[in-house]
Amino acid sequence: MEEERDQLILWLPVAIGAGITAWLVLPDPLAWTTALLAMAAMALLALAIGRGGRAERALGIGALAMAIGLSLIWWRASDAAGGVLTRPVITTFEARVESVEPLAARGLVRLRLATIRVADQSADRFGRTTVLPGHVRVNLAEADVPAALTRGATIRLQARLMPPPQPAVPGAYDYARVAWFDEIGGTGRGFAPVTIIASGDAQGGGLRDRLSRHIQTRVAGSAGGIASALATGDQGAIAEEDAEAMRRSGLAHLLSVSGLHITAVVAAMMLVVLRLLALSPWLALRFRLPLIAAAAGAAAAIGYTLLTGSQVPTIRSCVAALLVLVALAMGREAMTLRLVAAGAVVVLLLWPESLAGPSFQLSFAAITAIIALHEHPRIKAWFAPRDERWIAKLGRNLGSLVLTGLLVEFSLMPIALFHFHKAGFYGAAANIIAIPWTTFIVMPLEALALLLDLVGLGAPLWWLTAGALNLLLWLARTTAGLPGSVAALPAMPAIAYALIVIGGLWIALWRTRWRRLGLVPLIIGSIWSLMTPAPDLLVTGDGRHVAIRTARGGLALLRDRVGDYTSDMLAENGGVDGTPLLLADQPEARCNRDLCLAERRAGGRTWRILVTRSVYLVPADELIAACRGADIVISERRLPPACTPRWLKLDRPTLTRTGGVAITLSTGNVTTVYRPGDHHPWRTPGVDINRSGGAGRQAYPEHEPGRGNNAARHKRGSPDRAEPSRPRGGNI
């Protein structure tokens, strides 16, 4: 502990994050209070037994930091409470426009609205009146958006709103949690006509919106979307196939304004200001021009952060840049892990909920890995500047880039697999080209083009910018198309991921030989993740979509027409890279219009899985007989009590209480979205699974969660639709 005394401060943000994690993992206020008291008791115990020892002080401060983290996230969750829809509604209402986000690639405009009042207060057939939450998010087709609709306007529109969707299956994206902290109580689709009651911003949106539109008129297509992402953080104009290519090639970080972009902006501003001021001998002799340039760089960093929407990676990078500038002004070493720790503490104190998101984790993992690598004495010695021939210097710099890229790739891979269930293999090689190209070619060209547009002379530079961005897109598409470019794994166990994180932090933050002990949890967590079997059955929370693993290891979907989002989500959580197959086309399945019976060999036995495909009723005697011959029965509607499969029944009442379900047949493991006793404010009640035929005892009183968990996030090809009427019946 004495040898590592300089490293102890680096564990302060880790302790705060541990307190935040404890609140997210523990289920209810009793558990949160117990944990808080235990942390306080640990701090008091360390104070009581401490005799000035470093270990006792570290233990006490760590326990106190954990208590602060838990208290902060609990307070944020309580403070963010703004009301959430409990059921889908179609209503006409008035609202004030808080933000306008064009999604040009999808032909949509996304509005964040502060609701004012519901226009129609008549009760429905159940005697219920519509009460809207304080804030909702609505998508409008571009053709339905009035030309005068800007931020600050008051509008009247009709929309179909739903509760923020819970994860469709275990391990999927949890928008309900994100929406809670963003104070979004409902999401949905708006319909024309949209009436403007009071006008808003007379200039047609804020500076960020106007700049994005300006850039996209100069550079067409996805190249223009990337250009606007670099300048303003707006990624809405990037086509989905190009965004997917950037993700698969490991270049998606270029689209999220973070350390790379902040560094380029600060460095460029400092260089320009310093060179211009140095032209005056009077200024150069009387003032410390580097300090003035640093102040200009700090102003540029803050302005760029505000312009790009103040996202977590941008804020972290801005804080880091400001600390670097302060360190340089004081004559201290700038790029250290203490700087990273300070940035993490600032972000966690202001936005504790960001810890659970991939943005925070990817951002801090990358910069921590880079600095920890280059602080290692042996690495410092290998790549330190020295008097040598230019070819040797070039090779040494290239080796440093390759080593750094590989380390960052391996550091980020577990995070990508945990959150996205995919990780790229060629990202290190692609980034060696893409990062310098973006930093030294694309961004300077775009900045000069915007500057020359002030006098109407930017067209030639916009042509060059478009060419440079198209080359970047070519690199992304080529890398993404290489064989084996992406590794896909099913949802990683949370404990395995925690072991990997603990091991990585232990290796990165300590300096003496005991850092090697971090390899133990790191290896255990990695093996656990790789050995976790993929689920054989995935069922979404509304019961409409079912994915069954085929004998060849792929996934087959129940329904012929499935939205892009649902198909991709089921494939990712099932550990499959590619488009799932159709269940009706598989030799181990027999399907008609209303039912499917599939067989799956696992755990030394053959499982018979019966699934309903439509909302039309099947003759009761036929359905009951089919249920008795099946091990698992799944339906989006309520099944009769006499439908008793041999192992598990998942119908509408059960799925309402459990949410989405993932089943591993070889082990008999059933994982649900809703945990029994989970009292986090964005969750609905959990339930115990009774595998002999349905749901067991309900954990606490039932809410009515909205059906159609995926509707608010469907992409192209998944419109809400009503199937044409046809006769009931059908035999399997």
Side-chain angles (χ1 to χ4, degrees), residues 212-581:
S212 293
R213 289 195 297 268
H214 175 79
I215 292 172
Q216 290 163 22
T217 59
R218 296 298 189 270
V219 182
S222 293
I226 296 176
S228 62
L230 294 175
T232 67
D234 178 11
Q235 303 179 27
I238 304 174
E240 180 56 34
E241 54 270 21
D242 290 324
E244 179 65 17
M246 295 289 284
R247 288 191 289 268
R248 294 175 67 91
S249 61
L251 303 181
H253 66 93
L254 297 176
L255 306 179
S256 176
V257 178
S258 56
L260 172 69
H261 311 79
I262 293 286
T263 301
V265 168
V266 171
M269 177 61 72
M270 290 183 64
L271 179 64
V272 170
V273 171
L274 190 61
R275 295 298 183 186
L276 289 177
L277 294 179
L279 294 176
S280 170
W282 186 86
L283 290 174
L285 292 173
R286 288 168 175 78
F287 299 96
R288 295 185 62 186
L289 298 188
L291 287 181
I292 299 175
I302 295 172
Y304 189 44
T305 300
L306 295 174
L307 176 64
T308 54
S310 301
Q311 301 299 317
V312 170
T314 320
I315 294 171
R316 190 272 306 165
S317 302
C318 181
V319 171
L322 296 178
L323 292 174
V324 167
L325 294 174
V326 171
L328 290 175
M330 297 172 61
R332 303 285 298 273
E333 185 179 358
M335 297 302 295
T336 66
L337 286 176
R338 291 192 172 209
L339 179 146
V340 179
V345 168
V346 170
V347 174
L348 291 177
L349 292 180
L350 295 177
W351 298 278
E353 69 276 7
S354 65
L355 176 72
S359 177
F360 178 94
Q361 297 174 21
L362 291 168
S363 180
F364 278 96
I367 191 64
T368 300
I370 292 171
I371 295 180
L373 172 69
H374 289 277
E375 282 187 350
H376 193 283
R378 189 169 298 176
I379 300 297
K380 274 187 175 181
W382 283 348
F383 298 115
R386 63 195 69 186
D387 188 14
E388 58 186 354
R389 299 179 60 184
W390 69 270
I391 188 68
K393 182 180 293 185
L394 178 62
R396 194 178 301 278
N397 291 334
L398 185 61
S400 176
L401 280 174
V402 172
L403 182 60
T404 303
L406 288 173
L407 178 68
V408 170
E409 200 69 27
F410 282 113
S411 300
L412 301 186
M413 187 175 293
I415 303 174
L417 288 173
F418 181 75
H419 289 283
F420 311 119
H421 316 298
K422 290 182 179 180
F425 279 125
Y426 307 128
N431 276 290
I432 290 174
I433 301 171
I435 290 177
W437 183 259
T438 303
T439 306
F440 301 114
I441 303 296
V442 175
M443 294 185 69
L445 282 175
E446 185 174 351
L448 287 173
L450 288 170
L451 186 63
L452 291 178
D453 270 352
L454 297 175
V455 293
L457 300 176
L461 284 174
W462 281 120
W463 181 81
L464 292 174
T465 303
L469 287 168
N470 283 319
L471 284 175
L472 181 65
L473 279 170
W474 174 84
L475 174 65
R477 294 165 184 158
T478 302
T479 305
L482 293 175
S485 61
V486 171
L489 283 179
M492 182 187 301
I495 300 178
Y497 180 62
L499 289 173
I500 293 174
V501 171
I502 291 170
L505 288 171
W506 192 271
I507 293 172
L509 300 187
W510 294 129
R511 284 293 170 265
T512 54
R513 290 184 178 181
W514 74 337
R515 70 190 303 181
R516 299 172 186 174
L517 293 175
L519 290 173
V520 176
L522 183 62
I523 292 173
I524 293 175
S526 300
I527 294 175
W528 189 350
S529 301
L530 294 174
M531 297 297 292
T532 299
D536 296 287
L537 193 60
L538 291 169
V539 184
T540 59
D542 56 6
R544 283 184 52 81
H545 303 289
V546 178
I548 300 176
R549 192 160 303 279
T550 66
R552 291 165 297 282
L555 281 181
L557 299 183
L558 172 68
R559 297 182 182 273
D560 298 341
R561 289 192 288 175
V562 179
D564 293 344
Y565 172 81
T566 303
S567 176
D568 293 344
M569 177 271 303
L570 291 172
E572 289 174 3
N573 286 272
V576 173
D577 181 31
T579 304
L581 307 171

Side-chain angles (χ1 to χ4, degrees), residues 87 122-129:
R87 59 185 175 88
S122 58
D124 62 13
R125 58 176 179 164
F126 300 107
R128 301 174 299 191
T129 58

